[in-house]
Amino acid sequence: MSAPTESQTRSAAEAGGLYAEVQQFYARHMHLLDEGAAELWAESFTQDASFSVPTLPAPVVGRAGLSAAVRRSAAALVEAGEQHRHWPGVFDVVPQQDGSVIVHSYTTVFATVRGGESRVHRVCTCTDVLVREGGSLLVRSRRVDRDDLR
Amino acid sequence: MSAPTESQTRSAAEAGGLYAEVQQFYARHMHLLDEGAAELWAESFTQDASFSVPTLPAPVVGRAGLSAAVRRSAAALVEAGEQHRHWPGVFDVVPQQDGSVIVHSYTTVFATVRGGESRVHRVCTCTDVLVREGGSLLVRSRRVDRDDLR
Amino acid sequence: MSAPTESQTRSAAEAGGLYAEVQQFYARHMHLLDEGAAELWAESFTQDASFSVPTLPAPVVGRAGLSAAVRRSAAALVEAGEQHRHWPGVFDVVPQQDGSVIVHSYTTVFATVRGGESRVHRVCTCTDVLVREGGSLLVRSRRVDRDDLR
């Protein structure tokens, strides 16, 4: 085993910069989602982004459809007296030649009843294609799968 | 979409350095907490740190009060035959002009009965102000909220 | 409180590079495990790696034994109609003088019944010694402990 060279260290730091940027991106993204900040959350997607989930017959495309879906979910949670927390992690970050970044991750959704218990609501896998626009990462496409529906 | 410039890459690596440092900070901090290492845990706070939780009428201020609270919790867990794991994550790290760092995060507490089942005990949100003293990050103030008490 | 110097920033970025590399390593490692990709998973260990768990009287040593254990677990999960997700985190990363890296972490295993509920299956702690071979991190030894068996 040998110590890393200076060039390897620099390259690891640069890769580490992207890895941290991806984690920061998902953190703010999920905080917005769980606060029901539908429009701000939708701005983490490109204008023409596509979002596929197993419970819909076709992908949701575009920010207006995405934010509408979050507004509906947020209203249903208020009605139910539940707080959801989307917890993304276990990020496998794969930079592509064209500058986009494929991210394979897990997302666990924790649910808590106000005045009551917390539980694991869902365990999902997520494959995103992130692109950079104006210096920021945005989701161009997302594919979510649920472990209970496999 | 364009590839990042060299300067953007360097800046992302530096931001990534802080992001990783924050994650490392919380990891050791929570390991100490879950081991019941009350004094070492309290040393991750500044001398005059303030810790607010919804179940106390006023913030706990200072390391002596913080470590005393952890000693009480640790003794109660031993009595109950339970192991808790504080799992911090989904870090939204916001560096401030004055060198402090605001960190918005989630913390899930997993509980396991010896010889029994594991469960989600609590889901919390946490807003910390971190400052740098002698090269190390320390918590100057913490505000914890519990999803079940919203 | 003072702002970090340029040298501190560079050093944090380099440490951040290692921290991110460790997270990326565990992410791919656990994705392979949960997909049942036993041979590829075993290649994240050194040839002579040692894996200790409380439920076995002696450590498993070497890739053949490791991949055989994963094949058995994967078959049992298919039989049971369950999907497990190994979620590593709360990484305390401690670089050693000889270039190896000790990583203290937590791992939660989430289990989901197809067509049914999700739950916390296990909460574990994990201490790994990682070494670098041919530029890549590999596990040379692993010690897993389960919170329910303490």
Side-chain angles (χ1 to χ4, degrees):
Chain A
M1 189 173 59
S2 56
T5 65
E6 192 186 323
S7 148
Q8 280 174 329
T9 300
R10 197 167 55 241
S11 150
E14 286 170 12
L18 177 63
Y19 198 87
E21 188 182 4
V22 165
Q23 291 178 298
Q24 170 63 52
F25 172 80
Y26 281 95
R28 197 164 296 170
H29 184 65
M30 295 305 185
H31 284 273
L32 291 169
L33 177 59
D34 294 334
E35 289 158 9
E39 276 68 30
L40 286 173
W41 175 80
E43 288 175 13
S44 347
F45 293 85
T46 62
Q47 288 286 354
D48 61 344
S50 155
F51 190 137
S52 301
V53 288
T55 46
L56 291 178
V60 177
V61 175
R63 289 176 174 171
L66 289 165
S67 59
V70 166
R71 275 195 305 276
R72 280 193 301 272
S73 300
L77 286 171
V78 168
E79 182 77 18
E82 278 202 4
Q83 177 71 52
H84 281 192
R85 299 288 170 193
H86 289 74
W87 197 299
V90 201
F91 295 107
D92 182 10
V93 174
V94 190
Q96 304 295 297
Q97 289 280 358
D98 67 355
S100 68
V101 183
I102 297 180
V103 181
H104 302 280
S105 63
Y106 296 168
T107 303
T108 295
V109 185
F110 297 103
T112 301
V113 180
R114 291 205 175 79
E117 303 286 311
S118 296
R119 69 183 192 280
V120 180
H121 177 61
R122 296 249 186 275
V123 181
C124 304
T125 55
C126 180
T127 296
D128 280 355
V129 179
L130 305 183
V131 295
R132 198 174 290 278
E133 285 188 5
S136 300
L137 294 174
L138 298 176
V139 181
R140 188 169 66 196
S141 73
R142 170 167 296 173
R143 165 89 216 167
V144 171
D145 285 293
R146 278 169 45 182
D147 277 0
D148 59 318
L149 300 180
R150 270 156 200 279
Chain B
M1 189 171 59
S2 57
T5 65
E6 192 186 323
S7 147
Q8 281 174 328
T9 300
R10 197 167 54 240
S11 151
E14 285 169 11
L18 177 62
Y19 198 87
E21 188 183 3
V22 165
Q23 292 177 298
Q24 169 64 53
F25 172 80
Y26 281 97
R28 197 163 298 169
H29 183 65
M30 296 304 186
H31 284 274
L32 290 170
L33 177 60
D34 294 334
E35 289 159 9
E39 277 67 32
L40 285 173
W41 176 79
E43 288 176 12
S44 348
F45 293 85
T46 61
Q47 288 286 355
D48 61 344
S50 154
F51 190 138
S52 302
V53 288
T55 46
L56 291 177
V60 178
V61 175
R63 289 176 176 172
L66 290 165
S67 59
V70 167
R71 275 196 304 274
R72 280 193 300 273
S73 300
L77 286 170
V78 167
E79 182 76 17
E82 279 202 6
Q83 176 72 51
H84 281 193
R85 298 288 171 195
H86 289 74
W87 196 299
V90 201
F91 296 106
D92 182 9
V93 175
V94 190
Q96 305 296 297
Q97 290 278 359
D98 67 357
S100 68
V101 183
I102 297 179
V103 181
H104 302 280
S105 62
Y106 295 168
T107 303
T108 295
V109 185
F110 297 103
T112 302
V113 181
R114 291 205 174 80
E117 302 287 309
S118 295
R119 67 183 193 281
V120 180
H121 177 62
R122 297 250 185 273
V123 182
C124 305
T125 54
C126 180
T127 295
D128 280 355
V129 179
L130 305 184
V131 295
R132 197 175 291 279
E133 285 188 5
S136 300
L137 294 173
L138 298 176
V139 181
R140 187 170 65 196
S141 73
R142 169 166 296 173
R143 165 87 216 168
V144 171
D145 285 293
R146 278 168 44 180
D147 277 1
D148 59 319
L149 299 181
R150 270 156 200 280
Chain C
M1 189 173 59
S2 56
T5 64
E6 192 186 323
S7 147
Q8 281 174 329
T9 301
R10 197 167 55 240
S11 151
E14 286 170 11
L18 177 63
Y19 198 88
E21 188 183 4
V22 164
Q23 291 177 298
Q24 169 64 52
F25 172 80
Y26 281 95
R28 196 163 298 168
H29 183 65
M30 296 304 186
H31 283 274
L32 291 169
L33 176 60
D34 294 334
E35 288 160 8
E39 275 68 31
L40 286 173
W41 177 80
E43 288 175 12
S44 346
F45 293 85
T46 61
Q47 288 286 355
D48 61 345
S50 153
F51 190 138
S52 302
V53 288
T55 46
L56 290 178
V60 177
V61 175
R63 290 176 175 170
L66 290 165
S67 59
V70 167
R71 274 195 305 276
R72 280 193 301 272
S73 300
L77 286 170
V78 168
E79 182 77 16
E82 279 202 5
Q83 176 72 51
H84 282 191
R85 298 287 171 196
H86 288 74
W87 196 300
V90 202
F91 295 107
D92 182 9
V93 175
V94 190
Q96 304 296 297
Q97 289 279 0
D98 67 356
S100 68
V101 183
I102 297 180
V103 181
H104 302 280
S105 63
Y106 295 168
T107 303
T108 296
V109 185
F110 298 102
T112 302
V113 180
R114 291 205 174 79
E117 302 287 310
S118 296
R119 69 184 191 281
V120 180
H121 176 61
R122 296 250 186 273
V123 181
C124 304
T125 54
C126 179
T127 296
D128 280 356
V129 179
L130 305 183
V131 295
R132 199 174 288 280
E133 285 187 6
S136 299
L137 294 174
L138 298 176
V139 181
R140 188 171 65 195
S141 73
R142 169 166 296 172
R143 164 89 216 168
V144 172
D145 284 293
R146 278 168 45 181
D147 277 359
D148 58 319
L149 300 181
R150 269 156 201 279

